Amino acid sequence: MKLIQFIIISILVFSCNNSKETAEKIEISEDKTFSKLTSLIDGYAKNTLQKGNINSIALAVYKDGETYQNYYGEIENGKKNIPSDSSLYEIASITKTFTGALASKAVLSGVISLDDDIRKYLGDDYKNLEFEGQPITIKHLLTHSLGLESKTTKGLQTYYNQLKNGEENAEYTIQDLLEDLKNVEVVNKPGTKFMYNNIGPEILAYILEKVNKKSFKTQIKDLLSEIGMNNTFLNESEKFKANLVKGNRDGKPAMTDYCPLYGAAGGAISTLPDMAKYMQYLIESKNKPWVNEVSRSLFEDKEDDENIGYLWQNIGVGEEEGYYYSKTGTSKGIQSGLLICPDSDYGIVVIINNVSDAAFNDWANLFFTEIEADLIKYPKLNLASKLKQTFLRNSENAFKEFRELKTDTAKYFINLRSLNNYGYQLLNENKQKKAVDFFMHLTKEYPENANFYDSLGEAYFITEDYNNALNSYKKSLVLDPKNENAKKYINKIEELILEKS
């Protein structure tokens, strides 16, 4: 799916401290297969935390009417403050999907149209808000294609700089934004280029207030009540700061985000149970008019590989999962993501309280390489995960069992990428001998897999067993003559051997 191409970078698996109290609150299905699936997911989470890039994880999955949620790790290392159902997270840009939902309802009720020129609602002339005769429309606000960027609103940038400098009296209102809009330049023809920004949702909030004759915050509250999200709040971080999960950026405590204006672009905070309710609602209510409307594609930018709906992103159709749409949120210290796959009846929420390249990679791989791969294939179980659970105890017995079970294709599936990633996890954990052993077994199980031989070559290279590394890379190159990595290492190893001779 395009979402995987957009986000995945490396491998992940994570560790944690599970709260028995939390686990008892979660309604576990009597379906033993689902329980086995959630056990695998717990293992992914625990292994991921062991990499040390993430403090804590909150996750929820939905599949075929079953929901599971759990918490892992500590919010602050060493303080034993495990996340719970009352923990509030900054969900940042996932807030935009609530704004999109209100817009979809307004379109369906006829109070606004996707093709409306936004100047119809702004009150002044705003002759500058067009490009080559094309005005900015409601659809352009929803799809990040209005033709201008956040940085073009100078007053807003000044506000953010004041916050950064610790100026407590910094303020930026909707009237300031309306004044700013009189001086901006539309740099691209609206509806032609994806340019991510936070201005569009805030303008939408202003328009929704005018047409619905109700405050934006009240409209959001009504929407959340309809879904059953009673512990999700807009622009109330200060009020609920006692329950707000502390974030980290690059290993240091992160500031809380304070959103100006309506908070329509990123001002919501929510609990994991509420996010799980949102996920479940969108899947189970997929035929509800506003849910069906909010999830459809409105604009595709093929150059940037973006497909956008009502402020949802990464809309597409996968070969196995069918239709899907998603949204991620990144605050100063919290990374969150929500994936909805209505055709295959599953969804995922994963939230971590760390923002860094390494943490993002771990989060993305947990989300897509591990959890989603298993949900797509369910009720089949990931045999690769079962192998990883038993390998360290006894590699021979683990692969013997693996060999026996892999013929049962009705019950199990095998994720070869996950197998290869596990070998690299062992290398990253300084278990080089175990990694060599693991990759050796993989090449025996899959003698025609060039990538496994390449990985075995790297494991040997790291342990400075250059002769075996050379043989492994040469075998990989025979199986895949286009393997440039094997060619590079073969040259490097031959030079090292020549220097030693």
Side-chain angles (χ1 to χ4, degrees):
M1 86 160 40
K2 185 187 77 173
L3 189 55
I4 294 176
Q5 297 170 344
F6 176 71
I7 287 191
I8 287 189
I9 308 172
S10 70
I11 160 159
L12 107 302
V13 227
F14 58 87
S15 111
C16 76
N17 298 314
N18 286 348
S19 167
K20 291 183 180 178
E21 180 182 348
T22 299
E24 289 171 358
K25 292 179 183 176
I26 299 167
E27 189 174 326
I28 303 295
S29 166
E30 291 298 319
D31 182 350
K32 292 182 179 179
T33 305
F34 188 73
S35 295
K36 289 178 181 178
L37 170 67
T38 59
S39 178
L40 291 178
I41 290 172
D42 286 340
Y44 300 150
K46 294 173 183 179
N47 289 335
T48 300
L49 285 184
Q50 286 177 352
K51 298 180 75 173
N53 300 314
I54 296 172
N55 288 29
S56 69
I57 303 164
L59 67 80
V61 296
Y62 174 94
K63 178 65 178 176
D64 297 340
E66 304 282 358
T67 302
Y68 177 77
Q69 65 180 56
N70 212 342
Y71 306 93
Y72 315 84
E74 300 172 326
I75 296 171
E76 298 169 279
N77 288 334
K79 294 194 175 182
K80 298 183 180 180
N81 48 353
I82 299 168
S84 68
D85 288 354
S86 61
S87 298
L88 284 163
Y89 295 89
E90 297 173 286
I91 59 172
S93 288
I94 293 178
T95 308
K96 292 181 175 72
T97 67
F98 303 147
T99 306
L102 294 179
S104 74
K105 285 171 170 278
V107 168
L108 290 174
S109 67
V111 296
I112 61 173
S113 167
L114 289 173
D115 295 324
D116 282 347
D117 185 334
I118 65 170
R119 293 177 293 192
K120 174 181 177 181
Y121 305 101
L122 297 186
D124 277 328
D125 197 9
Y126 293 101
K127 291 182 179 179
N128 58 310
L129 294 185
E130 62 177 47
F131 187 95
E132 295 179 352
Q134 171 63 61
I136 299 172
T137 67
I138 298 291
K139 183 190 289 187
H140 302 146
L141 299 180
L142 288 163
T143 57
H144 299 290
S145 63
L146 61 165
L148 51 88
E149 300 171 305
S150 294
K151 66 181 181 181
T152 61
T153 49
K154 295 181 180 178
L156 183 57
Q157 292 310 303
T158 299
Y159 167 80
Y160 283 131
N161 289 332
Q162 288 173 330
L163 281 185
K164 187 176 180 181
N165 295 329
E167 296 183 32
E168 296 181 1
N169 296 323
E171 186 180 18
Y172 189 81
T173 68
I174 186 60
Q175 294 305 319
D176 294 324
L177 175 59
L178 293 175
E179 283 300 311
D180 258 354
L181 289 176
K182 294 177 181 178
N183 300 304
V184 299
E185 179 185 2
V186 181
V187 295
N188 285 298
K189 187 174 182 179
T192 61
K193 185 172 178 56
F194 173 82
M195 298 172 69
Y196 193 81
N197 69 87
N198 288 331
I199 299 174
E202 300 297 345
I203 299 174
L204 270 170
Y206 174 76
I207 293 173
L208 288 168
E209 281 200 339
K210 294 195 74 171
V211 298
N212 289 328
K213 297 178 174 55
K214 188 187 294 187
S215 76
F216 180 73
K217 193 166 187 175
T218 298
Q219 293 178 59
I220 288 288
K221 189 174 181 179
D222 291 344
L223 172 71
L224 296 174
S225 178
E226 174 187 335
I227 299 170
M229 300 174 70
N230 299 317
N231 292 298
T232 301
F233 311 99
L234 187 66
N235 275 1
E236 294 194 78
S237 295
E238 186 64 27
K239 179 179 178 180
F240 294 100
K241 65 180 179 181
N243 289 343
L244 201 62
V245 172
K246 296 178 181 178
N248 301 273
R249 177 173 287 271
D250 295 320
K252 299 178 181 179
M255 293 175 59
T256 301
D257 270 346
Y258 291 100
C259 297
L261 307 172
Y262 299 101
I269 55 176
S270 185
T271 62
L272 179 64
D274 264 22
M275 292 303 295
K277 287 178 184 177
Y278 189 32
M279 168 180 66
Q280 182 173 350
Y281 185 91
L282 291 171
I283 295 169
E284 294 183 349
S285 304
K286 61 184 178 183
N287 294 321
K288 200 165 191 151
W290 79 258
V291 175
N292 186 55
E293 176 69 13
V294 83
S295 60
R296 74 182 180 92
S297 172
L298 296 179
F299 171 67
E300 185 175 4
D301 187 336
K302 293 183 179 179
E303 183 178 340
D304 287 338
D305 197 23
E306 289 288 350
N307 198 331
I308 315 296
Y310 281 75
L311 293 169
W312 286 90
Q313 290 178 252
N314 305 304
I315 295 173
V317 180
E319 290 183 8
E320 293 184 286
E321 60 271 43
Y323 196 76
Y324 62 86
Y325 55 103
S326 73
K327 192 73 186 80
T328 61
T330 308
S331 71
K332 288 183 174 67
I334 306 291
Q335 177 67 52
S336 56
L338 171 62
L339 171 65
I340 306 296
C341 296
D343 285 353
S344 295
D345 209 28
Y346 73 84
I348 308 171
V349 176
V350 180
I351 310 172
I352 62 174
N353 67 322
N354 298 78
V355 175
S356 68
D357 288 344
F360 179 83
N361 292 346
D362 289 352
W363 170 85
N365 281 281
L366 172 67
F367 205 129
F368 303 108
T369 305
E370 304 282 9
I371 297 176
E372 194 197 9
D374 283 14
L375 287 176
I376 290 174
K377 298 288 188 179
Y378 181 80
K380 292 183 180 181
L381 296 174
N382 190 344
L383 186 54
S385 299
K386 186 174 180 62
L387 171 65
K388 291 186 285 185
Q389 289 177 337
T390 58
F391 174 78
L392 290 178
R393 292 197 294 270
N394 187 307
S395 63
E396 290 296 333
N397 288 346
F399 269 92
K400 181 181 178 182
E401 183 183 23
F402 177 81
R403 201 172 299 115
E404 291 170 352
L405 294 177
K406 75 176 185 178
T407 58
D408 188 356
T409 55
K411 188 173 182 180
Y412 296 103
F413 76 96
I414 300 170
N415 186 331
L416 295 183
R417 178 193 289 172
S418 179
L419 284 174
N420 195 61
N421 284 346
Y422 179 65
Y424 279 100
Q425 178 192 335
L426 293 172
L427 286 174
N428 292 332
E429 293 173 355
N430 293 318
K431 298 174 182 175
Q432 286 90 348
K433 290 184 179 180
K434 282 290 185 181
V436 168
D437 186 24
F438 186 76
F439 284 127
M440 282 183 63
H441 277 92
L442 284 185
T443 57
K444 290 176 183 177
E445 291 297 318
Y446 301 95
E448 302 303 314
N449 189 301
N451 191 43
F452 288 158
Y453 277 101
D454 184 278
S455 299
L456 176 59
E458 185 167 349
Y460 276 130
F461 185 83
I462 289 172
T463 60
E464 299 183 358
D465 186 346
Y466 297 126
N467 287 325
N468 278 322
L470 184 62
N471 291 334
S472 297
Y473 277 122
K474 284 183 175 179
K475 179 64 176 176
S476 178
L477 193 59
V478 169
L479 293 169
D480 179 12
K482 295 181 180 180
N483 187 345
E484 295 299 323
N485 186 64
K487 294 177 185 178
K488 180 181 75 173
Y489 271 92
I490 288 170
N491 291 334
K492 184 183 294 188
I493 293 168
E494 288 178 339
E495 289 176 4
L496 287 169
I497 293 174
L498 193 62
E499 288 175 6
K500 289 186 175 184
S501 62

